[in-house]
Amino acid sequence: MQPITLALAKGRPAKSTIALLEKTDVQFEDFHEDSRKLVFYNNDRSIKLLFVKAIDVPTYVEKGAADIGIVGKDNILESQADVYELLDLKLGKCKFAVAGKTDYRPEKGQQLTIATKYPIIAQKHFEKKGESIEVVKLNGSVELAPLIGLADLIVDIVETGNTLKENGLTVLEDIEPISTRLIVNKASFATKSGEVQQIISQLKSALE
């Protein structure tokens, strides 16, 4: 029998996800976050784990390189991958938000410039509000953009808000809650339904 292939995102949720899988008796004994290995098997080799960058997990699943993926909602939304999202693992809870200077007041009719690592999510959010924006794509230190006049506002992930506060920024609007989710390739959901449903059922039990 071919193993189920699971793409697991590197980063903070990985350790919690492995711990959750262990509660379902799925053990990856040679797995270690600092390992340079990218492929691991569980004890009975029924699951092949691909340890990949979070941003790539939706692509692996959409293209069928993995049957199942475990990754943050932020990467699912930004990728726009055509996959089934079937379970919220409730790990790594945070939110997408619009943030800016505490005294920021937009001028009437002003087109906003938004700095973000997530241009698609930012565009979609402001499109829903009927607002046209210019997006400045950044790969880090997004909080700096409003401070130096590179952007009016930012769209970013907010967990505690401490980074915003330390840089004189504040949340102006919540966009969407984020947490770690389980996604499934649409073809695998049809052809490997039993195996996929078993893993989902085990994880649900572990979450209770």
Side-chain angles (χ1 to χ4, degrees):
M1 186 176 71
Q2 289 292 317
I4 285 283
T5 303
L6 165 65
L8 175 62
K10 293 181 178 180
R12 284 183 301 170
K15 190 173 182 179
S16 301
T17 301
I18 289 294
L20 192 61
L21 288 167
E22 287 175 348
K23 287 177 69 176
T24 72
D25 292 329
V26 175
Q27 309 278 342
F28 294 92
E29 290 187 348
D30 58 345
F31 176 84
H32 193 282
E33 287 177 276
D34 297 329
S35 171
R36 290 182 179 273
K37 280 184 68 176
L38 300 174
V39 181
F40 304 85
Y41 286 88
N42 67 331
N43 287 356
D44 65 5
R45 298 184 74 84
S46 62
I47 301 176
K48 180 168 74 174
L49 186 149
L50 309 179
F51 195 43
V52 298
K53 282 190 173 182
I55 196 171
D56 294 330
V57 170
T59 302
Y60 276 79
V61 176
E62 181 182 36
K63 300 298 183 186
D67 302 301
I68 295 174
I70 294 180
V71 65
K73 177 77 173 177
D74 51 324
N75 290 291
I76 301 169
L77 289 172
E78 186 65 18
S79 72
Q80 300 188 93
D82 185 19
V83 296
Y84 292 132
E85 181 187 317
L86 298 181
L87 184 62
D88 182 353
L89 299 178
K90 305 183 189 302
L91 303 172
K93 287 183 177 181
C94 48
K95 63 183 179 183
F96 268 122
V98 180
K101 292 181 181 177
T102 53
D103 60 350
Y104 176 75
R105 299 290 183 275
E107 295 179 10
K108 191 175 181 181
Q110 173 189 358
Q111 184 189 43
L112 296 173
T113 301
I114 309 295
T116 184
K117 289 183 279 188
Y118 304 93
I120 292 173
I121 291 164
Q123 285 282 8
K124 283 183 173 291
H125 173 69
F126 284 95
E127 277 178 13
K128 284 181 186 173
K129 299 169 62 177
E131 297 181 28
S132 174
I133 62 169
E134 178 183 351
V135 172
V136 177
K137 172 76 164 60
L138 296 176
N139 295 307
S141 303
V142 178
E143 295 84 0
L144 187 60
L147 305 181
I148 62 173
L150 183 61
D152 301 302
L153 303 171
I154 66 172
V155 167
D156 204 9
I157 293 173
V158 177
E159 188 172 1
T160 63
N162 289 339
T163 304
L164 293 176
K165 189 175 180 181
E166 289 178 6
N167 288 286
L169 305 178
T170 189
V171 171
L172 301 174
E173 185 181 4
D174 290 342
I175 296 179
E176 183 159 347
I178 298 170
S179 57
T180 302
R181 310 294 170 94
L182 182 144
I183 57 176
V184 179
N185 172 270
K186 289 190 170 181
S188 298
F189 189 69
T191 60
K192 300 179 181 177
S193 177
E195 296 94 324
V196 170
Q197 292 290 2
Q198 182 179 352
I199 290 175
I200 292 174
S201 177
Q202 288 175 311
L203 287 171
K204 281 182 177 176
S205 296
L207 288 168
E208 290 174 356

PDB file of all heavy atoms in Angstrom, residues 57-90:
ATOM      1  N   VAL A  57       3.734  24.632   1.139  1.00  0.00           N
ATOM      2  CA  VAL A  57       2.835  23.517   1.468  1.00  0.00           C
ATOM      3  C   VAL A  57       1.572  23.506   0.598  1.00  0.00           C
ATOM      4  O   VAL A  57       1.209  22.463   0.032  1.00  0.00           O
ATOM      5  CB  VAL A  57       2.473  23.529   2.974  1.00  0.00           C
ATOM      6  CG1 VAL A  57       1.344  22.535   3.263  1.00  0.00           C
ATOM      7  CG2 VAL A  57       3.697  23.189   3.811  1.00  0.00           C
ATOM      8  N   PRO A  58       0.867  24.642   0.436  1.00  0.00           N
ATOM      9  CA  PRO A  58      -0.337  24.596  -0.420  1.00  0.00           C
ATOM     10  C   PRO A  58      -0.030  24.153  -1.849  1.00  0.00           C
ATOM     11  O   PRO A  58      -0.844  23.451  -2.467  1.00  0.00           O
ATOM     12  CB  PRO A  58      -0.850  26.044  -0.378  1.00  0.00           C
ATOM     13  CG  PRO A  58      -0.342  26.591   0.911  1.00  0.00           C
ATOM     14  CD  PRO A  58       1.016  25.972   1.071  1.00  0.00           C
ATOM     15  N   THR A  59       1.133  24.516  -2.371  1.00  0.00           N
ATOM     16  CA  THR A  59       1.502  24.116  -3.733  1.00  0.00           C
ATOM     17  C   THR A  59       1.736  22.614  -3.813  1.00  0.00           C
ATOM     18  O   THR A  59       1.270  21.952  -4.747  1.00  0.00           O
ATOM     19  CB  THR A  59       2.787  24.867  -4.178  1.00  0.00           C
ATOM     20  OG1 THR A  59       2.546  26.267  -4.088  1.00  0.00           O
ATOM     21  CG2 THR A  59       3.160  24.496  -5.598  1.00  0.00           C
ATOM     22  N   TYR A  60       2.463  22.055  -2.823  1.00  0.00           N
ATOM     23  CA  TYR A  60       2.697  20.607  -2.794  1.00  0.00           C
ATOM     24  C   TYR A  60       1.355  19.859  -2.803  1.00  0.00           C
ATOM     25  O   TYR A  60       1.204  18.846  -3.486  1.00  0.00           O
ATOM     26  CB  TYR A  60       3.494  20.207  -1.545  1.00  0.00           C
ATOM     27  CG  TYR A  60       4.991  20.347  -1.679  1.00  0.00           C
ATOM     28  CD1 TYR A  60       5.614  21.576  -1.565  1.00  0.00           C
ATOM     29  CD2 TYR A  60       5.790  19.243  -1.923  1.00  0.00           C
ATOM     30  CE1 TYR A  60       6.986  21.709  -1.684  1.00  0.00           C
ATOM     31  CE2 TYR A  60       7.163  19.367  -2.046  1.00  0.00           C
ATOM     32  CZ  TYR A  60       7.752  20.602  -1.926  1.00  0.00           C
ATOM     33  OH  TYR A  60       9.119  20.719  -2.056  1.00  0.00           O
ATOM     34  N   VAL A  61       0.394  20.362  -2.030  1.00  0.00           N
ATOM     35  CA  VAL A  61      -0.895  19.672  -1.920  1.00  0.00           C
ATOM     36  C   VAL A  61      -1.724  19.889  -3.183  1.00  0.00           C
ATOM     37  O   VAL A  61      -2.308  18.943  -3.726  1.00  0.00           O
ATOM     38  CB  VAL A  61      -1.654  20.158  -0.666  1.00  0.00           C
ATOM     39  CG1 VAL A  61      -3.042  19.522  -0.597  1.00  0.00           C
ATOM     40  CG2 VAL A  61      -0.854  19.813   0.590  1.00  0.00           C
ATOM     41  N   GLU A  62      -1.787  21.094  -3.664  1.00  0.00           N
ATOM     42  CA  GLU A  62      -2.595  21.369  -4.858  1.00  0.00           C
ATOM     43  C   GLU A  62      -2.100  20.558  -6.058  1.00  0.00           C
ATOM     44  O   GLU A  62      -2.892  20.033  -6.841  1.00  0.00           O
ATOM     45  CB  GLU A  62      -2.546  22.860  -5.197  1.00  0.00           C
ATOM     46  CG  GLU A  62      -3.392  23.222  -6.422  1.00  0.00           C
ATOM     47  CD  GLU A  62      -3.299  24.701  -6.769  1.00  0.00           C
ATOM     48  OE1 GLU A  62      -2.211  25.275  -6.607  1.00  0.00           O
ATOM     49  OE2 GLU A  62      -4.309  25.272  -7.196  1.00  0.00           O
ATOM     50  N   LYS A  63      -0.794  20.451  -6.203  1.00  0.00           N
ATOM     51  CA  LYS A  63      -0.220  19.749  -7.354  1.00  0.00           C
ATOM     52  C   LYS A  63      -0.164  18.231  -7.166  1.00  0.00           C
ATOM     53  O   LYS A  63       0.253  17.507  -8.066  1.00  0.00           O
ATOM     54  CB  LYS A  63       1.194  20.274  -7.629  1.00  0.00           C
ATOM     55  CG  LYS A  63       1.269  21.764  -7.934  1.00  0.00           C
ATOM     56  CD  LYS A  63       0.498  22.121  -9.194  1.00  0.00           C
ATOM     57  CE  LYS A  63       0.647  23.596  -9.536  1.00  0.00           C
ATOM     58  NZ  LYS A  63      -0.212  23.986 -10.693  1.00  0.00           N
ATOM     59  N   GLY A  64      -0.545  17.732  -6.003  1.00  0.00           N
ATOM     60  CA  GLY A  64      -0.589  16.291  -5.783  1.00  0.00           C
ATOM     61  C   GLY A  64       0.725  15.683  -5.329  1.00  0.00           C
ATOM     62  O   GLY A  64       0.824  14.459  -5.215  1.00  0.00           O
ATOM     63  N   ALA A  65       1.735  16.499  -5.064  1.00  0.00           N
ATOM     64  CA  ALA A  65       2.987  15.975  -4.528  1.00  0.00           C
ATOM     65  C   ALA A  65       2.796  15.508  -3.090  1.00  0.00           C
ATOM     66  O   ALA A  65       3.571  14.703  -2.583  1.00  0.00           O
ATOM     67  CB  ALA A  65       4.075  17.044  -4.587  1.00  0.00           C
ATOM     68  N   ALA A  66       1.785  16.046  -2.428  1.00  0.00           N
ATOM     69  CA  ALA A  66       1.390  15.602  -1.084  1.00  0.00           C
ATOM     70  C   ALA A  66      -0.123  15.429  -1.062  1.00  0.00           C
ATOM     71  O   ALA A  66      -0.852  16.183  -1.717  1.00  0.00           O
ATOM     72  CB  ALA A  66       1.823  16.614  -0.026  1.00  0.00           C
ATOM     73  N   ASP A  67      -0.581  14.411  -0.323  1.00  0.00           N
ATOM     74  CA  ASP A  67      -2.028  14.197  -0.200  1.00  0.00           C
ATOM     75  C   ASP A  67      -2.633  15.162   0.811  1.00  0.00           C
ATOM     76  O   ASP A  67      -3.750  15.642   0.640  1.00  0.00           O
ATOM     77  CB  ASP A  67      -2.296  12.758   0.261  1.00  0.00           C
ATOM     78  CG  ASP A  67      -1.718  11.727  -0.679  1.00  0.00           C
ATOM     79  OD1 ASP A  67      -2.108  11.736  -1.865  1.00  0.00           O
ATOM     80  OD2 ASP A  67      -0.857  10.939  -0.235  1.00  0.00           O
ATOM     81  N   ILE A  68      -1.881  15.407   1.871  1.00  0.00           N
ATOM     82  CA  ILE A  68      -2.354  16.231   2.985  1.00  0.00           C
ATOM     83  C   ILE A  68      -1.289  17.276   3.301  1.00  0.00           C
ATOM     84  O   ILE A  68      -0.092  17.005   3.165  1.00  0.00           O
ATOM     85  CB  ILE A  68      -2.614  15.360   4.240  1.00  0.00           C
ATOM     86  CG1 ILE A  68      -3.771  14.389   3.977  1.00  0.00           C
ATOM     87  CG2 ILE A  68      -2.931  16.221   5.461  1.00  0.00           C
ATOM     88  CD1 ILE A  68      -3.982  13.401   5.112  1.00  0.00           C
ATOM     89  N   GLY A  69      -1.722  18.438   3.746  1.00  0.00           N
ATOM     90  CA  GLY A  69      -0.786  19.453   4.195  1.00  0.00           C
ATOM     91  C   GLY A  69      -1.214  20.010   5.531  1.00  0.00           C
ATOM     92  O   GLY A  69      -2.413  20.075   5.832  1.00  0.00           O
ATOM     93  N   ILE A  70      -0.260  20.385   6.353  1.00  0.00           N
ATOM     94  CA  ILE A  70      -0.546  21.058   7.619  1.00  0.00           C
ATOM     95  C   ILE A  70       0.237  22.358   7.611  1.00  0.00           C
ATOM     96  O   ILE A  70       1.472  22.358   7.585  1.00  0.00           O
ATOM     97  CB  ILE A  70      -0.192  20.175   8.827  1.00  0.00           C
ATOM     98  CG1 ILE A  70      -1.114  18.954   8.861  1.00  0.00           C
ATOM     99  CG2 ILE A  70      -0.324  20.970  10.120  1.00  0.00           C
ATOM    100  CD1 ILE A  70      -0.863  17.994  10.009  1.00  0.00           C
ATOM    101  N   VAL A  71      -0.508  23.482   7.620  1.00  0.00           N
ATOM    102  CA  VAL A  71       0.120  24.783   7.382  1.00  0.00           C
ATOM    103  C   VAL A  71      -0.796  25.882   7.913  1.00  0.00           C
ATOM    104  O   VAL A  71      -2.000  25.675   8.120  1.00  0.00           O
ATOM    105  CB  VAL A  71       0.362  24.965   5.858  1.00  0.00           C
ATOM    106  CG1 VAL A  71      -0.938  25.039   5.077  1.00  0.00           C
ATOM    107  CG2 VAL A  71       1.261  26.152   5.572  1.00  0.00           C
ATOM    108  N   GLY A  72      -0.224  27.070   8.101  1.00  0.00           N
ATOM    109  CA  GLY A  72      -1.004  28.194   8.599  1.00  0.00           C
ATOM    110  C   GLY A  72      -2.011  28.712   7.579  1.00  0.00           C
ATOM    111  O   GLY A  72      -1.780  28.665   6.369  1.00  0.00           O
ATOM    112  N   LYS A  73      -3.120  29.227   8.097  1.00  0.00           N
ATOM    113  CA  LYS A  73      -4.166  29.782   7.238  1.00  0.00           C
ATOM    114  C   LYS A  73      -3.630  30.928   6.384  1.00  0.00           C
ATOM    115  O   LYS A  73      -4.111  31.159   5.267  1.00  0.00           O
ATOM    116  CB  LYS A  73      -5.311  30.291   8.123  1.00  0.00           C
ATOM    117  CG  LYS A  73      -6.458  30.958   7.393  1.00  0.00           C
ATOM    118  CD  LYS A  73      -7.369  29.977   6.724  1.00  0.00           C
ATOM    119  CE  LYS A  73      -8.598  30.675   6.138  1.00  0.00           C
ATOM    120  NZ  LYS A  73      -9.474  29.740   5.413  1.00  0.00           N
ATOM    121  N   ASP A  74      -2.632  31.654   6.888  1.00  0.00           N
ATOM    122  CA  ASP A  74      -2.064  32.775   6.129  1.00  0.00           C
ATOM    123  C   ASP A  74      -1.496  32.315   4.799  1.00  0.00           C
ATOM    124  O   ASP A  74      -1.738  32.934   3.750  1.00  0.00           O
ATOM    125  CB  ASP A  74      -0.977  33.491   6.950  1.00  0.00           C
ATOM    126  CG  ASP A  74       0.062  32.545   7.524  1.00  0.00           C
ATOM    127  OD1 ASP A  74      -0.321  31.420   7.906  1.00  0.00           O
ATOM    128  OD2 ASP A  74       1.237  32.921   7.596  1.00  0.00           O
ATOM    129  N   ASN A  75      -0.790  31.189   4.807  1.00  0.00           N
ATOM    130  CA  ASN A  75      -0.206  30.676   3.567  1.00  0.00           C
ATOM    131  C   ASN A  75      -1.264  30.093   2.636  1.00  0.00           C
ATOM    132  O   ASN A  75      -1.126  30.163   1.416  1.00  0.00           O
ATOM    133  CB  ASN A  75       0.857  29.620   3.890  1.00  0.00           C
ATOM    134  CG  ASN A  75       2.089  30.238   4.512  1.00  0.00           C
ATOM    135  OD1 ASN A  75       2.827  30.962   3.854  1.00  0.00           O
ATOM    136  ND2 ASN A  75       2.299  30.001   5.793  1.00  0.00           N
ATOM    137  N   ILE A  76      -2.312  29.538   3.194  1.00  0.00           N
ATOM    138  CA  ILE A  76      -3.407  29.018   2.365  1.00  0.00           C
ATOM    139  C   ILE A  76      -4.090  30.174   1.635  1.00  0.00           C
ATOM    140  O   ILE A  76      -4.334  30.116   0.424  1.00  0.00           O
ATOM    141  CB  ILE A  76      -4.432  28.251   3.234  1.00  0.00           C
ATOM    142  CG1 ILE A  76      -3.761  27.083   3.952  1.00  0.00           C
ATOM    143  CG2 ILE A  76      -5.582  27.749   2.366  1.00  0.00           C
ATOM    144  CD1 ILE A  76      -4.636  26.442   5.020  1.00  0.00           C
ATOM    145  N   LEU A  77      -4.397  31.236   2.366  1.00  0.00           N
ATOM    146  CA  LEU A  77      -5.084  32.382   1.766  1.00  0.00           C
ATOM    147  C   LEU A  77      -4.229  33.051   0.695  1.00  0.00           C
ATOM    148  O   LEU A  77      -4.713  33.391  -0.380  1.00  0.00           O
ATOM    149  CB  LEU A  77      -5.435  33.407   2.852  1.00  0.00           C
ATOM    150  CG  LEU A  77      -6.541  33.025   3.825  1.00  0.00           C
ATOM    151  CD1 LEU A  77      -6.620  34.052   4.949  1.00  0.00           C
ATOM    152  CD2 LEU A  77      -7.882  32.923   3.114  1.00  0.00           C
ATOM    153  N   GLU A  78      -2.957  33.246   0.998  1.00  0.00           N
ATOM    154  CA  GLU A  78      -2.099  33.961   0.057  1.00  0.00           C
ATOM    155  C   GLU A  78      -1.835  33.140  -1.202  1.00  0.00           C
ATOM    156  O   GLU A  78      -1.708  33.700  -2.296  1.00  0.00           O
ATOM    157  CB  GLU A  78      -0.778  34.334   0.739  1.00  0.00           C
ATOM    158  CG  GLU A  78       0.140  35.212  -0.085  1.00  0.00           C
ATOM    159  CD  GLU A  78      -0.423  36.610  -0.357  1.00  0.00           C
ATOM    160  OE1 GLU A  78      -1.350  37.048   0.352  1.00  0.00           O
ATOM    161  OE2 GLU A  78       0.071  37.252  -1.302  1.00  0.00           O
ATOM    162  N   SER A  79      -1.774  31.820  -1.059  1.00  0.00           N
ATOM    163  CA  SER A  79      -1.484  30.967  -2.225  1.00  0.00           C
ATOM    164  C   SER A  79      -2.687  30.839  -3.150  1.00  0.00           C
ATOM    165  O   SER A  79      -2.527  30.589  -4.341  1.00  0.00           O
ATOM    166  CB  SER A  79      -1.072  29.570  -1.754  1.00  0.00           C
ATOM    167  OG  SER A  79      -2.185  28.863  -1.241  1.00  0.00           O
ATOM    168  N   GLN A  80      -3.888  30.961  -2.602  1.00  0.00           N
ATOM    169  CA  GLN A  80      -5.129  30.738  -3.357  1.00  0.00           C
ATOM    170  C   GLN A  80      -5.170  29.331  -3.965  1.00  0.00           C
ATOM    171  O   GLN A  80      -5.754  29.132  -5.048  1.00  0.00           O
ATOM    172  CB  GLN A  80      -5.296  31.783  -4.454  1.00  0.00           C
ATOM    173  CG  GLN A  80      -5.365  33.209  -3.941  1.00  0.00           C
ATOM    174  CD  GLN A  80      -5.716  34.197  -5.036  1.00  0.00           C
ATOM    175  OE1 GLN A  80      -6.880  34.529  -5.254  1.00  0.00           O
ATOM    176  NE2 GLN A  80      -4.703  34.657  -5.736  1.00  0.00           N
ATOM    177  N   ALA A  81      -4.536  28.382  -3.311  1.00  0.00           N
ATOM    178  CA  ALA A  81      -4.474  27.014  -3.831  1.00  0.00           C
ATOM    179  C   ALA A  81      -5.873  26.393  -3.849  1.00  0.00           C
ATOM    180  O   ALA A  81      -6.689  26.632  -2.963  1.00  0.00           O
ATOM    181  CB  ALA A  81      -3.537  26.173  -2.962  1.00  0.00           C
ATOM    182  N   ASP A  82      -6.099  25.558  -4.856  1.00  0.00           N
ATOM    183  CA  ASP A  82      -7.376  24.875  -5.019  1.00  0.00           C
ATOM    184  C   ASP A  82      -7.320  23.557  -4.250  1.00  0.00           C
ATOM    185  O   ASP A  82      -7.022  22.502  -4.814  1.00  0.00           O
ATOM    186  CB  ASP A  82      -7.645  24.637  -6.506  1.00  0.00           C
ATOM    187  CG  ASP A  82      -9.022  24.047  -6.757  1.00  0.00           C
ATOM    188  OD1 ASP A  82      -9.894  24.155  -5.858  1.00  0.00           O
ATOM    189  OD2 ASP A  82      -9.229  23.487  -7.848  1.00  0.00           O
ATOM    190  N   VAL A  83      -7.566  23.621  -2.948  1.00  0.00           N
ATOM    191  CA  VAL A  83      -7.485  22.450  -2.064  1.00  0.00           C
ATOM    192  C   VAL A  83      -8.682  22.480  -1.112  1.00  0.00           C
ATOM    193  O   VAL A  83      -9.367  23.497  -0.994  1.00  0.00           O
ATOM    194  CB  VAL A  83      -6.176  22.460  -1.234  1.00  0.00           C
ATOM    195  CG1 VAL A  83      -4.957  22.355  -2.142  1.00  0.00           C
ATOM    196  CG2 VAL A  83      -6.095  23.718  -0.364  1.00  0.00           C
ATOM    197  N   TYR A  84      -8.932  21.338  -0.473  1.00  0.00           N
ATOM    198  CA  TYR A  84      -9.941  21.293   0.579  1.00  0.00           C
ATOM    199  C   TYR A  84      -9.285  21.643   1.914  1.00  0.00           C
ATOM    200  O   TYR A  84      -8.246  21.087   2.255  1.00  0.00           O
ATOM    201  CB  TYR A  84     -10.561  19.907   0.698  1.00  0.00           C
ATOM    202  CG  TYR A  84     -11.405  19.483  -0.482  1.00  0.00           C
ATOM    203  CD1 TYR A  84     -11.230  18.232  -1.068  1.00  0.00           C
ATOM    204  CD2 TYR A  84     -12.381  20.319  -1.001  1.00  0.00           C
ATOM    205  CE1 TYR A  84     -12.001  17.820  -2.140  1.00  0.00           C
ATOM    206  CE2 TYR A  84     -13.162  19.922  -2.080  1.00  0.00           C
ATOM    207  CZ  TYR A  84     -12.968  18.679  -2.645  1.00  0.00           C
ATOM    208  OH  TYR A  84     -13.727  18.280  -3.708  1.00  0.00           O
ATOM    209  N   GLU A  85      -9.907  22.546   2.661  1.00  0.00           N
ATOM    210  CA  GLU A  85      -9.455  22.851   4.027  1.00  0.00           C
ATOM    211  C   GLU A  85     -10.434  22.170   4.965  1.00  0.00           C
ATOM    212  O   GLU A  85     -11.597  22.546   5.042  1.00  0.00           O
ATOM    213  CB  GLU A  85      -9.456  24.372   4.251  1.00  0.00           C
ATOM    214  CG  GLU A  85      -8.968  24.770   5.635  1.00  0.00           C
ATOM    215  CD  GLU A  85      -9.131  26.263   5.881  1.00  0.00           C
ATOM    216  OE1 GLU A  85      -8.826  27.050   4.969  1.00  0.00           O
ATOM    217  OE2 GLU A  85      -9.596  26.622   6.978  1.00  0.00           O
ATOM    218  N   LEU A  86      -9.973  21.126   5.682  1.00  0.00           N
ATOM    219  CA  LEU A  86     -10.916  20.247   6.377  1.00  0.00           C
ATOM    220  C   LEU A  86     -10.833  20.278   7.898  1.00  0.00           C
ATOM    221  O   LEU A  86     -11.717  19.764   8.564  1.00  0.00           O
ATOM    222  CB  LEU A  86     -10.730  18.804   5.890  1.00  0.00           C
ATOM    223  CG  LEU A  86     -11.010  18.568   4.405  1.00  0.00           C
ATOM    224  CD1 LEU A  86     -10.815  17.103   4.060  1.00  0.00           C
ATOM    225  CD2 LEU A  86     -12.419  19.012   4.036  1.00  0.00           C
ATOM    226  N   LEU A  87      -9.757  20.824   8.449  1.00  0.00           N
ATOM    227  CA  LEU A  87      -9.658  20.783   9.912  1.00  0.00           C
ATOM    228  C   LEU A  87      -8.837  21.953  10.428  1.00  0.00           C
ATOM    229  O   LEU A  87      -7.781  22.266   9.879  1.00  0.00           O
ATOM    230  CB  LEU A  87      -9.001  19.459  10.340  1.00  0.00           C
ATOM    231  CG  LEU A  87      -8.906  19.185  11.841  1.00  0.00           C
ATOM    232  CD1 LEU A  87     -10.293  19.098  12.465  1.00  0.00           C
ATOM    233  CD2 LEU A  87      -8.124  17.881  12.086  1.00  0.00           C
ATOM    234  N   ASP A  88      -9.344  22.584  11.491  1.00  0.00           N
ATOM    235  CA  ASP A  88      -8.602  23.636  12.195  1.00  0.00           C
ATOM    236  C   ASP A  88      -7.917  22.991  13.392  1.00  0.00           C
ATOM    237  O   ASP A  88      -8.588  22.507  14.312  1.00  0.00           O
ATOM    238  CB  ASP A  88      -9.580  24.732  12.649  1.00  0.00           C
ATOM    239  CG  ASP A  88      -8.864  25.888  13.344  1.00  0.00           C
ATOM    240  OD1 ASP A  88      -7.652  25.792  13.588  1.00  0.00           O
ATOM    241  OD2 ASP A  88      -9.541  26.893  13.637  1.00  0.00           O
ATOM    242  N   LEU A  89      -6.580  22.970  13.361  1.00  0.00           N
ATOM    243  CA  LEU A  89      -5.838  22.347  14.459  1.00  0.00           C
ATOM    244  C   LEU A  89      -5.692  23.279  15.663  1.00  0.00           C
ATOM    245  O   LEU A  89      -5.142  22.877  16.696  1.00  0.00           O
ATOM    246  CB  LEU A  89      -4.457  21.905  13.978  1.00  0.00           C
ATOM    247  CG  LEU A  89      -4.453  20.868  12.851  1.00  0.00           C
ATOM    248  CD1 LEU A  89      -3.028  20.537  12.421  1.00  0.00           C
ATOM    249  CD2 LEU A  89      -5.163  19.602  13.271  1.00  0.00           C
ATOM    250  N   LYS A  90      -6.127  24.511  15.518  1.00  0.00           N
ATOM    251  CA  LYS A  90      -6.145  25.494  16.619  1.00  0.00           C
ATOM    252  C   LYS A  90      -4.753  25.725  17.219  1.00  0.00           C
ATOM    253  O   LYS A  90      -4.615  26.023  18.405  1.00  0.00           O
ATOM    254  CB  LYS A  90      -7.155  25.083  17.694  1.00  0.00           C
ATOM    255  CG  LYS A  90      -8.559  24.852  17.150  1.00  0.00           C
ATOM    256  CD  LYS A  90      -9.563  24.524  18.246  1.00  0.00           C
ATOM    257  CE  LYS A  90     -10.909  24.088  17.658  1.00  0.00           C
ATOM    258  NZ  LYS A  90     -11.510  25.077  16.777  1.00  0.00           N
TER     259      LYS A  90
END
